Structures are given as C-alpha cells and as structure tokens.
Amino acid sequence: MPQLSKWKGKDSIEFSESVRKGEVDFESFYRELFIELKRINKKYGVFVTLASPEGLDAPGRGRIAGVPVSVKDNICTKGMRTTAGSRILEDYVPVFDAAVVSSVRKEGGVVVGKTSMDEFGFGTFSTNSAYSVPRNPWDESRCCGGSSGGAAALVSALDYPHIAIGQSTGGSISAPASFCGVVGLTPTYGRVSRFGLIDYANSLDKIGPIAKTVREAALMLSVIAGKDERDFTTEGKREDFTKYIAKDIKGVRIAVPKEYFGDGIDEGVKKRIWDAIGTLESHGAKWEEVSLPSTELGIATYYIIATSEASTNLARYCGMRYGAEGEIKGDFNEYFSEIRTKYFGKEAKRRILLGTFSRMSGYRDQYYMKALKIRTLIIREFRKVFRTHDVLISPTMPVIAPKFSEIEGMSPLEVYMMDTLTVPQNLAGMPSVSVPCGLHKGMPVGMHVIGNHFQEGKVIRVSDFWERVSGFPRTK
Ligand code: GLN
C-alpha cells in the first residue's frame, strides 16, 4: 500500500508519533520518499550525495523516530562522503559521525543525504559550490541563498516530513531560509557541539536546523543541543525547546534597530517587516526603536575575523593528510601549492589571501586585533538592548533572492554586503530564527527574530506565534 501520499503536508512531529506507535510501513515510505528526493534533486540540485533506501538506519523510538533528516555537506557522516562543497574533499568518507549526527541517529532520525553548499561555507548564494548549485524552488532562475542553500531548497521543495541540519558562520542558516521561505534556527554559539564539523571559522561556527515550521526546528534543536566534552566551547543543559511553542506574546518587548532599516534595504522587504511588527503589537507585544551604532562596522569586522580563521583552517588541506593528493614533485612548498591551486575554488583562494594578509605581522594589529575589539563592542551593544527588551526584530536579508544573472554581475564586495543584517548577530553569537514573512514580487521575505545568549526560548516563542498568525503557506 502506498505510504508516502498520506504524509503530504504533514509535519515531522505528527509523523514521528505515528512511527513510534508502529503505524508506518517504513520500507514502503522510504522507497517512495527516495523517488521524490531524486526528482527534487534533479530539478533543483539540492544534494551532493544522496543515500539510498537500502541500508538506512532502523527507525528507533526516539524523539524524531523515523524522521528523514538531511545534513549539510560540511558535517561528517560515517561512511557517507562529506565534501564541504570542495573538490579538495571529493573522496573524503569520514570514519565517524559528527556529534549532531550521532544525536540525530540516537533519537531515531534517518540521514537521507548531504546537501549542497558554498565551498567550505564561503558564500551567500550557494553559487560557490564545486558541485551542484541549488536553484530556488520559488523561481528556478533565482538562487537559494547560502551557504546552506541545498538544505533550505530541499525543505521548501519537499512537502513531506523532513528536517534539515544546516550550519552558519555569518548567516548561512538565516539567508537561505529567508530566500526559500522556510524557517532557519541559528542557536547561540556553543549551544550545539561542533565536533565533526569541517571548520570554517571556529569562533563563529554554529550548527542548527532548517525546517518548514518553527516547532519542527525547535524539536530538532532539542535533539542536537547540549554540552559535549568533545567541543569545549559547548554549554547548557539538554532542554525541550518545544515547550516554547503555542504561547501568546502578551507583554513581549520587541526592539527594532533603526540601522537595520536604512539605505540598501528593499522598501518592499521593509514594509513586510513593519506590517508584521504591527500585527505582533495588535496581539499584545510592545515595540520600540533602538540603535545599534556599530552595525555599519559588521561586514569589515566579520570578513577580517572569518577569513583569518578560515585561512588557518584551510592550511590542513595540503595533499598529505587527507583530501586530494597528487604525485609528489619538487619540494614541499611546490607540491602544496600545486594541490591547493588545483583543488580550491576561486572564493576559497580569495579568502586564504585576505585572511593570511590580515594576520601577517605588521598588519595584525591594524586588522585582526582591531576587528576583535570591534566584535566586543558589537556584543556589548546587543547586550545593552537585551537588558530592556526580549527580542530584536529586523529583515533577515536586505533583498529577495537575486537572480543568477544578477549575481554574475556582482563584485565580491557587493556579495559580502548582502550579509549586512546577519553578520552582527553571528559575530555576537546570539540565537535567531528567520521565519517567513509574506511575499514581495512573488518571492519569500524572511523576518529575523534575534535573542540574547541562550535565550532560544524567547526567539522560538515569538517566531512560532508569528508563524501561526501569519499563516505562510507550507508550499509555494
Ligand atoms: N556569507 C557569509 C560568508 O561568506 C556567511 C557564510 C556562512 O555563514 N557560512 O562568510
């Protein structure tokens, strides 16, 4: 009997309950699901590696029993190729699972494949991938956002139970969620273990869920969050984040930063967010305009810190330890250069140059050290706002998803500027949810709800409330 069709439009929570009760014919469900996954992959290019219905994990009985889970391709999966979107890791098959993947499997989730991304996370549109460039299910001539583009596009295109695991350094969960009309939850830095993540910038990297609904994202956060001794930056107890779902928002104090509504932000996008703030107010929330004066320093600060860390992290790909190799010719420097020239993409090379430069003696104080100081300033400004407010609300991205033809004409700096609204919060390591907020020119707009460190609960409460009153369609 066909199993998949009856789960169309249903969420992972309901599905998992049925699996636990033994009501789902698991084999038929997954056989049919993979036909759908293949179709979506062909159309939108969302996977680097797709598993096969044979040899999947047994469903188990945990909190996400039987739920299909996709994993961004920079998160290690035992026995399943993990490329981080780079040619240099084309044949890399990890011998271990990342902490989040172990947690997913332990709670009964089923890993269905690895989603496409910008090489090592270097990008905002997922166009810097050495593999497939995902296309936006709302309009195939437009990008999905990045760097977790494959994950967000898959969530948008697949109308069956599924949760994606994405990762953000400077906005890579929020940006694609916003462009594809889905929910992206970026946890507090240190909330989720990074063990088994292929590092981009260690002081910024965060793993988090992308899902159709806030409640599914909250459920997945409950599965993957918590202290892990293999990542000494982790903090916090295991918690059930679904308890913040289905609450009201009476008395919630919203801060609206005026710098996030300035020049360069599409008027249509601004209007959607202001309308939403008005709706939240009519349901009992209070809002007030605030100022985050260092916002304009965010891009420079982020790109100095992120590239500095990235350039050190990429040093390990030298053709000797793991990843691509070649025939050893000349001295080591010549050999390393040959391998790196051949296998790194253009953006990765640009970031190695930028990062190496800003860490060099003579420039270190001028760039890297200064950026660290401004980062502290940015954190303080956020903290000050959170002394008197519960959450901060702004547009997630300044624009709707650009067309591929528009991206071709952008300079690297113009691309970096797209991250203006997402990098400050990422530098500060604060949690956020990007939640769909209506359409502009037929494309989704994302609203960013940002909270103080370890205040995911408040962010989930407000974004879930908005999701319920706004009634954004599950599918386009
Ligand atoms: N667009 C930003 C960058 O290129 C953020 C990407 C990310 O979060 N991985 O660095």
Side-chain angles (χ1 to χ4, degrees):
M1 209 177 67
Q3 282 290 317
L4 189 67
S5 53
K6 62 180 175 212
W7 291 105
K8 191 167 170 58
K10 301 278 167 53
D11 77 17
S12 309
I13 297 175
E14 212 179 318
F15 177 70
S16 176
E17 267 162 27
S18 260
V19 171
R20 279 192 295 273
K21 285 189 205 144
E23 292 167 356
V24 177
D25 172 352
F26 200 63
E27 254 182 60
S28 314
F29 175 85
Y30 271 93
R31 210 179 320 112
E32 293 163 35
L33 180 76
F34 270 84
I35 297 172
E36 179 64 0
L37 291 176
K38 277 190 193 138
R39 183 193 69 81
I40 289 174
N41 193 31
K42 209 165 159 202
K43 198 152 182 231
Y44 303 115
V46 294
F47 285 109
V48 179
T49 304
L50 184 57
S52 68
E54 299 82 36
L56 290 173
D57 303 334
R61 298 218 146 253
R63 275 183 287 185
I64 49 168
V67 173
V69 178
S70 64
V71 179
K72 186 176 179 178
D73 206 25
N74 57 352
I75 298 171
C76 289
T77 39
K78 188 175 175 181
M80 198 186 283
R81 188 167 74 124
T82 300
T83 70
S86 181
R87 284 269 169 244
I88 212 155
L89 289 174
E90 186 159 11
D91 301 317
Y92 176 54
V93 179
V95 292
F96 68 107
D97 273 333
V100 292
V101 175
S102 310
S103 303
V104 161
R105 295 197 209 271
K106 206 166 127 230
E107 291 292 340
V110 180
V111 177
V112 295
K114 306 300 292 289
T115 49
S116 44
M117 56 178 286
D118 287 297
E119 182 174 14
F120 291 106
F122 303 153
T124 305
F125 304 130
S126 292
T127 45
N128 297 330
S129 168
Y131 303 91
S132 57
V133 171
R135 292 171 288 283
N136 197 310
W138 288 79
D139 175 351
E140 285 169 60
S141 70
R142 292 178 188 270
C143 77
C144 296
S147 63
S148 313
L154 176 60
V155 171
S156 162
L158 181 67
D159 198 19
Y160 295 98
H162 156 246
I163 305 176
I165 307 262
Q167 172 272 340
S168 170
T169 309
S172 281
I173 291 177
S174 299
S178 168
F179 285 172
C180 294
V182 297
V183 173
L185 195 167
T186 307
T188 306
Y189 176 83
R191 174 70 93 172
V192 175
S193 172
R194 289 178 291 116
F195 175 78
L197 169 71
I198 297 177
D199 306 308
Y200 167 173
N202 310 45
S203 81
L204 290 154
D205 294 341
K206 299 153 294 272
I207 296 177
I210 299 181
K212 273 240 156 64
T213 59
V214 177
R215 56 186 180 277
E216 288 169 287
L219 173 65
M220 183 54 93
L221 182 65
S222 318
V223 169
I224 60 176
K227 200 167 173 62
D228 175 14
E229 62 194 22
R230 294 166 299 179
D231 172 0
F232 65 87
T233 60
T234 49
E235 265 304 328
K237 285 201 281 292
R238 300 222 166 243
E239 194 179 334
D240 179 10
F241 292 96
T242 58
K243 71 177 182 232
Y244 301 105
I245 295 297
K247 303 278 183 222
D248 65 22
I249 51 155
K250 286 204 181 64
V252 168
R253 298 160 303 165
I254 298 169
V256 183
K258 64 167 188 256
E259 292 79 3
Y260 285 52
F261 290 80
D263 290 345
I265 320 291
D266 190 313
E267 290 302 323
V269 170
K270 282 187 212 170
K271 182 164 173 2
R272 295 293 163 286
I273 308 303
W274 278 120
D275 287 351
I277 293 168
T279 305
L280 294 176
E281 187 180 26
S282 72
H283 284 90
K286 288 183 272 199
W287 70 269
E288 191 182 36
E289 196 170 78
V290 298
S291 177
L292 294 169
S294 299
T295 302
E296 60 173 2
L297 304 175
I299 293 290
T301 309
Y302 169 79
Y303 277 94
I304 289 171
I305 295 175
T307 58
S308 296
E309 293 186 29
S311 62
T312 26
N313 278 323
L314 293 188
R316 67 177 69 113
Y317 306 106
C318 60
M320 302 226 85
R321 294 183 187 133
Y322 60 99
E325 290 175 5
E327 195 194 327
I328 300 184
K329 282 190 286 218
D331 63 23
F332 279 138
N333 276 339
E334 280 160 1
Y335 173 69
F336 293 167
S337 303
E338 191 196 307
I339 294 291
R340 290 160 70 80
T341 306
K342 190 164 161 196
Y343 292 101
F344 279 141
K346 205 169 160 190
E347 187 59 27
K349 287 174 188 155
R350 179 177 293 119
R351 297 197 183 203
I352 292 171
L353 292 174
L354 282 171
T356 308
F357 180 79
S358 45
R359 294 187 283 115
M360 257 161 65
S361 68
Y363 295 103
R364 196 180 152 84
D365 285 349
Q366 209 177 330
Y367 295 105
Y368 182 65
M369 298 308 283
K370 200 173 193 176
L372 290 184
K373 287 179 189 156
I374 296 172
R375 183 181 195 173
T376 306
L377 211 70
I378 291 174
I379 297 173
R380 283 198 194 135
E381 283 177 12
F382 273 110
R383 284 224 176 112
K384 193 168 160 222
V385 168
F386 289 124
R387 278 208 284 271
T388 45
H389 295 82
D390 298 303
V391 293
L392 219 135
I393 286 187
S394 73
T396 306
M397 297 300 283
V399 291
I400 53 167
K403 290 199 153 89
F404 291 112
S405 54
E406 291 166 344
I407 295 169
E408 272 167 30
M410 287 186 196
S411 69
L413 195 60
E414 282 171 309
V415 176
Y416 298 169
M417 292 305 283
M418 290 283 155
D419 301 334
T420 303
L421 307 180
T422 51
V423 292
Q425 161 238 341
N426 275 273
L427 279 166
M430 280 162 181
S432 73
V433 167
S434 178
V435 60
C437 188
L439 301 177
H440 173 48
K441 296 186 181 155
M443 290 301 292
V445 171
M447 175 165 87
H448 221 192
V449 184
I450 303 170
N452 202 354
H453 291 136
F454 293 97
Q455 298 279 309
E456 280 85 348
K458 285 183 181 173
V459 167
I460 289 169
R461 177 178 167 195
V462 174
S463 51
D464 166 69
F465 184 88
W466 166 251
E467 181 178 82
R468 283 180 291 116
V469 294
S470 66
F472 190 79
R474 274 185 61 90
T475 43
K476 55 210 148 66

